[in-house]
């Protein structure tokens, strides 16, 4: 009984070891029976071999075996950067997406049958048969009473017709045949050259070259060539790939790989850096016979506004710097390391101007770049009863940027003085800390305010004839019977204009000053954009002067906030910024 148990255990162990690895040597039964300790050691060795082989296959190692799926390495992150701050190579993102992390063993119609593949054959009618046959080393399958049928290199889509034809050459009548290719034998392909993980990888014969390159980590973006990729079989080149054709035109030649094929990535060729007004600002690899500007423009695709091309680089004679019209760049010959800058160097002769406010007709006009305001106003129709054409002003982007810059510079100075002010005692330090918190909140709010970019062009119904700029917005205010009161008043509102009322009257009608109001800093913003500052105590006398413009319908009264000098040491800087914001944005912070 003990001997039979050992015999049974030995046979099971042989089956386990044989199924997991062909490299283990199993003693035959004719040898001396192993001891219990030897059996346990052999079982442990077989189990460890099974685990290692499983990990080996899943890691995409040198195994030619193929399970239900292949786990590809996870690829994520940004596109590879260029060397020394240069743009990345054209096609560097090819292996960052477009591939699934797992793929099944599904066959495509272009797959070519190879030795080891399994084919299911079913016949019914005169002959009933159902079996699975394997393609032998000669590329044939053998069917009893029919004989061998050649199927090697037959496309998967044609296997049914080829085998059916062979069977019906023997069984000519009353036999129906169904043939299905079940599994494909994996192939082992080497990937060499400048790739991130060169080595041997398993896949299907019908897998694309991109699949194997992906498994090898992709082409090295700094040393590998995207244009010189070859497949070698027994030392001979059987196919060449230019991935630029795939990236640009979607062309990727189909190919059936075999065991021991080598995908070889060539060394990177001459590279040209593209910058400026181009749709593809990358580094491009040029073919030795195609280094003209035409070849580069096909891939870089400069924008239609490009007028000139700047080329910098080095030649045997020394550094070069060339500036050419874009139509002369076609025949220019480039060299390795050149930098090509596509530039828009033609100044527009026409600018676009927008009209807003109270007007009739188009809202946009295209005019010559030297057009002046009055030249354009003669073409704009207005209703004299509706438009306040004597208070025209312009919103200009360059003025808005300058106003924003000045406000930010003042805020920066305030911030520096706030955090660098010395404190002579702990009490003063505590006061400064509270002040810093309040001023920081004020600075944060002030930075969010967007200036209007107003250009004052009218006063006393007279309009200055200034030159227009690209993007100007000409504002024609509408006639109104209202005065707007805002800022630090209890009830900000619009009040009907009264020619006999004073500033104090309007503020009283708006509920009077709030607790934060500064009655010595009241801004009067006229419809034309002009801003003046008055105080409530002298407001009536100011407006009774014959030399100054009185309040008019459409004006805005803006009461500015008061800065408590007892709390803030930086009252002067804060007050200055409040003035700037009131003028630039017509708001009180």
């Amino acid at each position: 009984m003990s001997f039979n148990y050992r015999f049974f255990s030995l046979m099971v162990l042989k089956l386990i070891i044989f199924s997991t690895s062909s490299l283990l040597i199993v003693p035959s039964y004719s040898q001396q029976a192993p001891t219990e300790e030897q059996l346990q050691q052999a079982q442990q060795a077989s189990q460890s071999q099974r685990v290692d082989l499983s990990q080996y296959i899943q890691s995409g190692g040198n195994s030619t075996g193929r399970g239900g799926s292949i786990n590809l390495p996870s690829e994520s992150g940004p596109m590879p950067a260029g060397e020394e701050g240069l743009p990345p190579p054209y096609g560097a993102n090819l292996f960052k997406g477009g591939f699934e992390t797992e793929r099944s063993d599904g066959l495509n119609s272009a797959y070519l049958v190879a030795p080891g593949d399994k084919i299911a054959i079913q016949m019914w009618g005169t002959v009933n048969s159902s079996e699975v046959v394997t393609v032998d080393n000669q590329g044939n399958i053998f069917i009893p009473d029919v004989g061998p049928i050649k199927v090697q290199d037959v496309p998967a889509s044609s296997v049914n017709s080829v085998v059916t034809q062979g069977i019906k050459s023997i069984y000519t009548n009353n036999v129906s045949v169904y043939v299905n290719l079940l599994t494909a034998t994996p192939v082992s392909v080497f990937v060499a050259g400048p790739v991130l993980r060169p080595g041997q990888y398993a896949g299907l014969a019908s897998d694309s070259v991109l699949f194997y390159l992906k498994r090898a980590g992709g082409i090295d973006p700094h040393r590998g060539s995207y244009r010189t990729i070859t497949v070698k079989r027994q030392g001979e080149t059987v196919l060449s790939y230019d991935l630029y054709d795939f990236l640009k035109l979607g062309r990727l030649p189909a190919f059936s790989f075999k065991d021991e094929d080598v995908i070889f990535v060539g060394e990177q060729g001459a590279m040209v850096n593209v910058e400026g007004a181009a749709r593809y600002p990358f580094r491009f690899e040029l073919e030795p016979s195609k280094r003209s500007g035409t070849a580069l423009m096909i891939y870089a695709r400069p924008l239609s506004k490009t007028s000139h091309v700047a080329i910098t680089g080095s030649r045997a004679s020394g550094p070069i710097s060339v500036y050419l019209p874009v139509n002369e760049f076609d025949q220019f010959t480039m060299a390795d390391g050149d930098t090509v800058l596509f530039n828009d160097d033609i100044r527009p002769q026409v600018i676009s101007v927008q009209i807003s406010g109270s007007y009739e007709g188009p809202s946009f006009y295209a005019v010559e770049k030297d057009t002046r305001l009055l030249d354009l106003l003669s073409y704009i129709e207005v209703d004299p009863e509706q438009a306040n054409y004597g208070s025209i002003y312009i919103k200009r982007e360059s003025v808005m940027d300058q106003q924003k810059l000045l406000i930010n510079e003042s805020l920066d100075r305030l911030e520096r003085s706030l955090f660098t002010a010395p404190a002579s005692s702990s009490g003063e330090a505590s006061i400064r800390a509270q002040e810093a918190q309040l001023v920081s909140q004020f600075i944060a709010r002030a930075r969010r305010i967007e200036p209007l970019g107003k250009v004052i062009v009218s006063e006393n119904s007279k309009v200055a004839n200034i030159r227009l700029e690209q993007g100007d917005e000409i504002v024609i205010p509408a006639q109104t019977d209202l005065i707007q009161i805002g800022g630090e008043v209890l009830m900000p509102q619009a009040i009907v204009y009264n020619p006999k009322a004073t500033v104090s009257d309007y503020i009283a009608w708006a509920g009077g000053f709030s607790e934060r109001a500064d009655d010595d800093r009241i801004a009067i913003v006229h419809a034309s954009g002009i801003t003046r500052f008055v105080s409530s105590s002298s407001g009536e006398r100011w407006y009774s002067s014959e030399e100054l413009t009185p309040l008019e319908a459409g004006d805005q009264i803006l009461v500015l906030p008061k800065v408590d000098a007892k709390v803030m040491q930086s009252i002067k800087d804060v007050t200055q910024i409040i003035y700037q914001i009131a003028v630039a944005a017509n708001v009180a912070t």
Side-chain angles (χ1 to χ4, degrees):
M1 186 67 179
S2 175
F3 176 79
N4 291 338
Y5 169 77
R6 289 186 177 183
F7 173 78
F8 178 77
S9 301
L10 179 61
M11 295 303 297
V12 171
L13 177 61
K14 290 175 67 176
L15 289 175
I16 293 176
I17 297 176
F18 181 78
S19 64
T20 55
S21 174
S22 60
L23 300 179
L24 296 179
I25 301 175
V26 181
S28 62
Y29 175 69
S30 60
Q31 295 175 330
Q32 184 178 0
T35 64
E36 292 289 342
E37 181 179 359
Q38 291 174 334
L39 283 174
Q40 292 178 359
Q41 292 177 353
Q43 289 175 351
Q44 293 175 358
S46 66
Q47 291 175 357
S48 64
Q49 183 72 9
R50 274 203 307 275
V51 172
D52 292 343
L53 182 62
S54 174
Q55 295 174 348
Y56 191 57
I57 294 175
Q58 291 180 359
S59 64
N62 297 341
S63 170
T64 59
R66 190 178 181 92
S69 64
I70 293 179
N71 295 324
L72 300 179
S74 175
E75 298 287 350
S76 60
M79 186 169 60
E83 295 178 344
E84 300 177 358
L86 297 175
Y90 178 65
N93 58 345
L94 180 60
F95 302 101
K96 286 294 180 182
F99 294 87
E100 297 180 357
T101 57
E102 295 185 0
R103 67 179 303 277
S104 65
D105 285 340
L107 302 173
N108 58 54
S109 59
Y111 173 76
L112 301 181
V113 177
D117 291 351
K118 296 185 181 299
I119 299 175
I121 303 174
Q122 296 183 2
M123 296 184 292
W124 64 95
T126 304
V127 177
N128 291 317
S129 174
S130 177
E131 59 181 326
V132 176
V133 297
T134 302
V135 181
D136 60 26
N137 290 334
Q138 300 180 43
N140 300 322
I141 57 173
F142 187 85
I143 302 175
D145 298 328
V146 175
I149 300 176
K150 186 75 172 182
V151 293
Q152 185 174 0
D153 295 333
V154 173
S157 59
S158 303
V159 170
N160 186 44
S161 60
V162 170
V163 176
T164 299
Q165 183 179 359
I167 293 175
K168 289 194 173 183
S169 65
I170 303 299
Y171 298 104
T172 58
N173 296 318
N174 299 325
V175 174
S176 297
V177 181
Y178 178 77
V179 180
N180 182 37
L181 180 61
L182 295 179
T183 61
T185 303
V187 295
S188 179
V189 176
F190 293 92
V191 182
V195 293
L196 297 183
R197 294 189 297 272
Q200 185 181 11
Y201 296 93
L204 289 178
S206 59
D207 283 332
S208 70
V209 67
L210 294 178
F211 172 80
Y212 291 103
L213 290 174
K214 171 69 174 180
R215 298 207 68 192
I219 297 173
D220 189 322
H222 305 308
R223 294 182 294 273
S225 172
Y226 289 78
R227 312 206 67 174
T228 309
I229 302 171
T230 56
V231 179
K232 298 180 180 294
R233 181 171 294 167
Q234 297 180 351
E236 300 292 332
T237 298
V238 293
L239 189 65
S240 297
Y241 288 92
D242 183 349
L243 293 186
Y244 276 27
D245 290 341
F246 173 72
L247 293 168
K248 180 68 177 179
L249 305 173
R251 296 175 181 171
L252 191 67
F255 184 73
S256 182
F257 287 93
K258 293 185 177 180
D259 273 328
E260 310 301 322
D261 279 355
V262 177
I263 299 174
F264 184 76
V265 177
E267 294 293 332
Q268 193 175 79
M271 300 293 288
V272 174
N273 310 315
V274 172
E275 300 175 354
R279 293 177 175 85
Y280 296 91
F282 300 110
R283 296 176 65 201
F284 292 89
E285 182 180 355
L286 301 180
E287 296 178 282
S289 59
K290 297 180 181 179
R291 295 191 179 182
S292 65
T294 302
L296 180 64
M297 292 173 67
I298 291 175
Y299 294 103
R301 293 192 63 204
L303 302 178
S304 58
K305 68 177 183 178
T306 301
S307 61
H308 290 75
V309 183
I311 307 103
T312 57
S314 298
R315 300 292 187 271
S317 57
I320 67 164
S321 181
V322 182
Y323 197 63
L324 301 173
V326 68
N327 56 357
E328 296 181 12
F329 179 62
D330 295 346
Q331 303 305 320
F332 184 86
T333 301
M334 291 166 292
D336 186 23
D338 281 357
T339 296
V340 176
L341 173 65
F342 292 101
N343 193 23
D344 174 18
D345 208 13
I346 296 180
R347 298 293 180 263
Q349 302 301 313
V350 177
I351 61 175
S352 59
V353 178
Q354 181 181 358
I355 312 297
S356 64
S358 180
Y359 67 95
E360 296 179 358
S363 60
F364 282 88
Y365 287 86
V367 299
E368 295 181 359
K369 66 175 184 178
D370 292 327
T371 301
R372 293 183 175 271
L373 177 59
L374 295 181
D375 298 334
L376 177 60
L377 290 180
S378 62
Y379 291 94
I380 300 175
E381 297 181 8
V382 297
D383 184 350
E385 300 296 329
Q386 299 293 330
N388 184 4
Y389 50 83
S391 299
I392 292 174
Y393 63 90
I394 294 176
K395 289 183 180 179
R396 181 166 290 178
E397 185 175 350
S398 59
V399 175
M400 179 183 66
D401 294 339
Q402 185 64 24
Q403 290 175 339
K404 184 70 172 178
L405 177 62
L406 293 175
I407 292 175
N408 283 332
E409 287 178 351
S410 298
L411 292 172
D412 292 339
R413 287 195 299 270
L414 175 60
E415 204 166 33
R416 286 194 299 270
S417 64
L418 180 67
F419 293 106
T420 58
S424 58
S425 64
S426 59
E428 183 179 354
S430 177
I431 294 174
R432 291 290 175 86
Q434 295 178 4
E435 177 185 347
Q437 184 177 4
L438 293 175
V439 176
S440 296
Q441 295 174 1
F442 167 77
I443 291 174
R445 292 180 57 190
R447 289 192 188 278
R448 293 196 297 266
I449 293 174
E450 294 295 332
L452 299 177
K454 283 186 178 181
V455 179
I456 309 302
V457 297
S458 61
E459 186 176 12
N460 299 327
S461 299
K462 295 179 181 179
V463 180
N465 193 21
I466 69 170
R467 181 181 288 107
L468 298 175
E469 292 184 4
Q470 169 64 31
D472 277 355
E473 180 182 350
I474 301 173
V475 181
I476 306 175
Q479 292 283 9
T480 179
D481 296 325
L482 303 176
I483 295 287
Q484 301 284 343
I485 301 97
E488 296 299 331
V489 293
L490 294 180
M491 295 181 293
Q493 58 184 301
I495 299 175
V496 176
Y497 170 67
N498 186 340
K500 296 181 180 181
T502 64
V503 174
S504 298
D505 294 333
Y506 286 107
I507 293 176
W509 293 333
F513 295 112
S514 67
E515 293 181 357
R516 297 178 62 244
D518 187 352
D519 57 2
D520 287 333
R521 291 179 177 85
I522 301 174
I524 309 299
V525 184
H526 297 289
S528 61
I530 296 176
T531 303
R532 305 180 190 275
F533 292 92
V534 299
S535 64
S536 61
S537 59
S538 61
E540 296 182 13
R541 295 195 300 273
W542 189 90
Y543 279 100
S544 64
S545 173
E546 296 179 356
E547 298 178 357
L548 299 175
T549 305
L551 276 174
E552 294 181 352
D555 289 349
Q556 179 182 0
I557 300 174
L558 188 64
V559 180
L560 301 182
K562 179 189 297 183
V563 181
D564 192 349
K566 297 180 180 179
V567 177
M568 294 191 180
Q569 300 293 328
S570 53
I571 178 174
K572 181 179 178 181
D573 295 331
V574 174
T575 302
Q576 178 186 2
I577 294 172
I578 291 175
Y579 270 69
Q580 290 179 338
I581 293 174
V583 173
N586 291 356
V587 295
T589 55

